[in-house]
Amino acid sequence: INATKRRSAERFLPPSLLAAKALRRAEECLMQGFTTVRDAGGADYGFREAINEGVYPGPRMLVATRRGLGALRVTRANLLGAGVMGAFLLLGGNGMVAIGEQTVPSGLAALIVGSVPLWFALLRVAGGERPRLVSWAGVLVGFAGVAAITLPAGGIEGVEAWGVGLVVVASILWSIGSYLSPRLHLPADALVATTYEMLLGGALLLLGGTVRG
């Protein structure tokens, strides 16, 4: 009841005073150990930007907001980048795994998909980077761990080579998409980028499913 009365009284306070109180509360949350907070009302979008830009200390804010259709405006380069990501991750990655698992057991598929960090490391080497030895060790240990967990002791029967090949190619395509992500002209807003990647990738999946029947 007291909280309801307080909120009702705050409705009549000057916006500048409300903003000052909100920023002070944000700093208090951070000092109390809260590094991330969520706001479902959308009124704190400006506070989130102030914290992200270092104007005022506070926790990372996840804000539900309505910014209108203007937030979805992107360039052709942005659309092309999002389309490339959708093609590699959704159509090539998820789509091929879904087809391959018609003959490949989920345990073996999980093992193959677990090779994505290994392919990613190889792509880094091909791009001129030199991952540290500890990175290679971590990839190999992780891959061995996936194998130990997912592969049955008695082996796997009835696995067709084409299904295994599809899952392997899917893993490589997912790795390529992950490697290209920071190198493409994607929308600056991560949510907008994800929106277009899902839309375009989903359209490609729908087209591929229709063609395949």
Side-chain angles (χ1 to χ4, degrees), residues 53 61 92 105 119 126 139 150 203:
E53 295 177 9
M61 298 187 68
W119 293 115
V139 169
T150 58

Side-chain angles (χ1 to χ4, degrees), residues 76-98:
R76 291 183 179 180
N78 293 151
L79 282 178
L80 178 60
V84 169
M85 291 296 296
F88 276 110
L89 301 184
L90 295 181
L91 179 63
N94 294 345
M96 286 189 174
V97 168

Side-chain angles (χ1 to χ4, degrees), residues 65-74 192 196:
T65 181
R66 297 178 59 187
R67 290 182 286 168
L69 295 178
L72 297 176
R73 292 176 182 171
V74 293
V192 175
Y196 281 109

Side-chain angles (χ1 to χ4, degrees), residues 6 9 11 20 24 29 36 44 53 77 82 99 117 137 147 152 161-162 164-166 181 205-206:
R6 184 173 64 253
R11 293 174 54 190
R24 184 182 66 180
C29 286
T36 303
D44 294 336
E53 295 177 9
I99 297 175
W162 69 266
V164 174
L166 276 182
S181 177
L205 282 171
L206 179 61

Side-chain angles (χ1 to χ4, degrees), residues 158-173:
V159 177
E160 298 188 22
W162 69 266
V164 174
L166 276 182
V167 180
V168 170
V169 172
S171 302
I172 295 174
L173 292 178

Side-chain angles (χ1 to χ4, degrees), residues 110-199:
L111 172 63
I112 299 173
V113 172
S115 68
V116 166
L118 179 60
W119 293 115
F120 187 83
L122 293 175
L123 287 170
R124 290 179 59 190
V125 173
E129 300 181 46
R130 292 294 179 268
R132 295 183 301 171
L133 183 60
V134 66
S135 298
W136 287 108
V139 169
L140 294 176
V141 170
F143 187 71
V146 174
I149 293 173
T150 58
L151 288 181
I156 298 176
E157 297 181 358
V159 177
E160 298 188 22
W162 69 266
V164 174
L166 276 182
V167 180
V168 170
V169 172
S171 302
I172 295 174
L173 292 178
W174 187 280
S175 303
I176 294 174
S178 301
Y179 178 77
L180 292 178
S181 177
R183 296 164 175 80
L184 295 173
H185 295 286
L186 296 173
D189 190 313
L191 292 179
V192 175
T194 302
T195 297
Y196 281 109
E197 289 171 16
M198 296 297 289
L199 284 174

